[in-house]
Amino acid sequence: MKKLLLIIILLNCCVAFSQQNYSVVKGNVGEKNVNISIINTNFGVSSDDKGDFMMALPKTEKQVGLLFSCIGYEDTLVSVIPNRDTIYLNFKMKETYYMLDAVGVSVDKIKRYSEPSYVMYDFEIFDDKVFVLQRKGNTLNECRILVQDLWLDPIDTISIPNHIKPEKLFLDCLDCCQMLGRDSVYQIVREDNTNNYIINYATEIAHYAEVMDKIIFMTPTHVFFKKTMMDGYVAKFYRMGFESKNIETIIVCNDMKSYDMVKDEREYHATHKFFFLGNPSNDDWEEFVKMAWFHPKDSQLYKVQDKIYYFDHLNNKIITYDFDMNQLHECDITYPTEENFWRHRIYKDSGYGRFYTVFGTKLNEININNGKTKPLLNINTFMAEKMVIHKGHLYSVTKRRDALHGFVSYIERIEIN
């Protein structure tokens, strides 16, 4: 249904949309394959071979950010208020001339394509190994995990029994690699006295979520938790002492003001939604409206060595604590754009403890001492399904079009320092 909704909202042939409830944004950017995305959403279109593009937005008096991005060109952020039938945007993308060597970045890439019969759809890095979850064809009847070293050379293959329907890989709060199935969670472990890996320790999803899902990390004296409420507009951080068993709230991030605005916006659009090529449900429609103009504040705690870093996106700050939650340092976050249409996604280097964020097609390093961001590397995130940064390298499962206009998946390793 969500895929159908994407077609409904962002179909290139926007002339078919009702002019009464939609504003059509169209124009020319002077280059082909420019990605035009709505900030804070996964919705977007691309320019054609002539640089023309067209997309539709539900009418509103609120400002909407459109990000124009393309490898080799500077990201361009344009703010529009879709309150009229047609909005014209015509400009030429500006080429970028980043001197990557000046900031110590290597653009060397390593790519490993999957076998033609297998599709890569998730991966994780654990124990200095890259575990790639693959399926044969478009079904989950024959799946496996390909084990590679950090240079993407194959080491081992883990067979997955047919009764397990794997959905994704993830690292839990103990940095153990887990595989999520439809009914259970399975841990990937190394066999005793060997270098081989197996799937073991199955746990029911409900039980695993009850015990582990809210845990962020542990220190020598406490276990730290996060609980989100009201669609994530309220985030509560608390901790429990190992010995005392006392639970104390340490941080509350409350953005109920935005949540109330979202409710008003959803109610308006739920009564004005346009039916085209199907009938989206109220839940799908409201989810689109919530993502298109608002987003929960993705505040998070991270542990690096003997310090705790709190990325407070509600107040645009980075606050540093020791393990006893005594504040050591505070600074403002300076994002690479003055606009406030930012998707606050933080990537932590799981090996070196550095922090990064992505804006458009640029990977930016975050200085946790002064909050400033520095562009490091041009990357094409439009086709990336997942990215992990480990020991100064960016790994991603990416797709590319083949000659028959299908997709071939591969894993890519890029050195960033």
Side-chain angles (χ1 to χ4, degrees):
M1 183 58 71
K2 291 187 177 181
K3 184 177 181 180
L4 174 61
L5 181 61
L6 176 59
I7 297 174
I8 296 172
I9 302 301
L10 300 174
L11 195 65
N12 286 333
C13 300
C14 292
V15 292
F17 279 91
S18 167
Q19 294 290 313
Q20 180 179 357
N21 297 323
Y22 283 83
S23 178
V24 176
V25 182
K26 60 182 179 179
N28 187 283
V29 292
E31 298 294 337
K32 64 180 180 180
N33 297 325
V34 175
N35 303 322
I36 303 102
S37 58
I38 305 173
I39 294 296
N40 301 329
T41 76
N42 295 321
F43 305 119
V45 298
S46 298
S47 61
D48 62 19
D49 290 342
K50 297 180 180 179
D52 296 323
F53 73 94
M54 185 180 295
M55 67 190 308
L57 299 173
K59 284 186 177 179
T60 180
E61 295 296 328
K62 299 182 183 297
Q63 201 175 46
V64 177
L66 301 179
L67 179 65
F68 296 76
S69 59
C70 185
I71 292 292
Y73 296 87
E74 292 185 6
D75 294 341
T76 302
L77 185 63
V78 178
S79 301
V80 298
I81 299 178
N83 58 0
R84 56 185 188 273
D85 290 342
T86 306
I87 298 174
Y88 296 95
L89 295 176
N90 295 289
F91 62 92
K92 186 173 178 60
M93 296 289 289
K94 185 177 180 182
E95 292 187 51
T96 183
Y97 298 97
Y98 278 106
M99 300 298 292
L100 297 179
D101 291 339
V103 292
V105 178
S106 170
V107 295
D108 292 338
K109 295 183 179 181
I110 298 175
K111 297 180 180 180
R112 292 290 187 270
Y113 289 86
S114 64
E115 296 179 20
S117 58
Y118 280 90
V119 178
M120 299 181 179
Y121 65 102
D122 199 13
F123 79 104
E124 267 298 346
I125 298 179
F126 160 71
D127 197 22
D128 276 352
K129 305 290 189 305
V130 181
F131 294 81
V132 185
L133 185 59
Q134 300 177 317
R135 64 172 182 261
K136 193 169 186 178
N138 295 320
T139 71
L140 295 178
N141 294 328
E142 189 172 341
C143 297
R144 69 181 188 181
I145 296 176
L146 182 64
V147 185
Q148 301 172 311
D149 62 19
L150 294 180
W151 288 89
L152 303 180
D153 291 322
I155 298 175
D156 192 15
T157 300
I158 305 175
S159 299
I160 300 177
N162 287 334
H163 72 275
I164 299 177
K165 308 301 180 184
E167 297 182 359
K168 68 175 184 178
L169 300 176
F170 65 96
L171 296 182
D172 62 17
C173 60
L174 300 176
D175 289 330
C176 295
C177 189
Q178 307 281 359
M179 182 182 72
L180 177 66
R182 291 180 179 175
D183 301 314
S184 302
V185 178
Y186 305 83
Q187 186 173 344
I188 299 174
V189 296
R190 182 188 294 182
E191 285 187 297
D192 293 337
N193 302 320
T194 71
N195 290 321
N196 299 323
Y197 292 86
I198 59 173
I199 299 172
N200 210 339
Y201 307 117
T203 305
E204 290 185 359
I205 291 178
H207 178 69
Y208 182 90
E210 180 182 358
V211 176
M212 302 286 288
D213 193 40
K214 296 181 177 62
I215 301 178
I216 310 173
F217 54 76
M218 298 180 186
T219 66
T221 58
H222 291 83
V223 53
F224 286 72
F225 301 86
K226 178 183 179 180
K227 180 180 181 181
T228 58
M229 298 161 282
M230 307 304 290
D231 287 339
Y233 285 87
V234 176
K236 175 183 176 183
F237 298 89
Y238 56 99
R239 65 178 185 173
M240 182 185 71
F242 286 125
E243 295 183 0
S244 66
K245 307 301 181 185
N246 292 331
I247 298 176
E248 59 176 317
T249 300
I250 53 177
I251 299 171
V252 176
C253 180
N254 189 329
D255 193 23
M256 288 299 296
K257 180 180 179 181
S258 293
Y259 178 74
D260 293 336
M261 295 173 66
V262 169
K263 289 195 298 183
D264 295 339
E265 194 79 10
R266 287 188 303 185
E267 290 173 1
Y268 171 79
H269 286 285
T271 59
H272 292 81
K273 64 182 179 179
F274 178 68
F275 303 105
F276 181 69
L277 295 179
N279 183 4
S281 69
N282 286 337
D283 290 341
D284 282 345
W285 186 262
E286 291 176 4
E287 181 68 17
F288 166 75
V289 174
K290 181 179 69 174
M291 290 182 62
W293 283 277
F294 304 89
H295 61 95
K297 299 300 181 289
D298 190 23
S299 299
Q300 186 58 279
L301 285 177
Y302 297 93
K303 182 185 70 171
V304 178
Q305 296 179 350
D306 59 347
K307 293 183 175 60
I308 296 174
Y309 297 95
Y310 174 46
F311 284 78
D312 181 2
H313 294 300
L314 182 61
N315 299 301
N316 290 324
K317 293 183 179 298
I318 303 175
I319 306 174
T320 306
Y321 300 92
D322 61 18
F323 281 172
D324 293 325
M325 295 306 296
N326 298 312
Q327 183 172 327
L328 303 176
H329 181 67
E330 177 181 319
C331 62
D332 294 330
I333 304 175
T334 306
Y335 295 117
T337 174
E338 296 179 357
E339 299 288 348
N340 193 27
F341 292 110
W342 183 248
R343 176 182 287 274
H344 303 289
R345 175 67 183 274
I346 304 297
Y347 295 88
K348 175 188 170 185
D349 187 320
S350 54
Y352 292 160
R354 299 169 185 167
F355 295 95
Y356 302 85
T357 190
V358 175
F359 186 73
T361 60
K362 294 180 178 63
L363 179 72
N364 297 264
E365 184 175 4
I366 302 175
N367 187 318
I368 55 179
N369 295 316
N370 57 28
K372 294 183 178 180
T373 56
K374 178 178 65 175
L376 291 182
L377 184 67
N378 283 344
I379 55 176
N380 188 359
T381 61
F382 194 71
M383 296 296 289
E385 297 183 343
K386 183 176 183 178
M387 298 191 306
V388 173
I389 298 177
H390 181 73
K391 292 188 175 181
H393 293 84
L394 186 149
Y395 297 81
S396 63
V397 169
T398 311
K399 290 182 178 180
R400 69 168 177 84
R401 290 187 180 275
D402 60 17
L404 300 177
H405 303 290
F407 288 101
V408 176
S409 60
Y410 61 91
I411 191 164
E412 182 178 72
R413 176 185 189 264
I414 305 176
E415 184 177 359
I416 58 178
N417 60 356

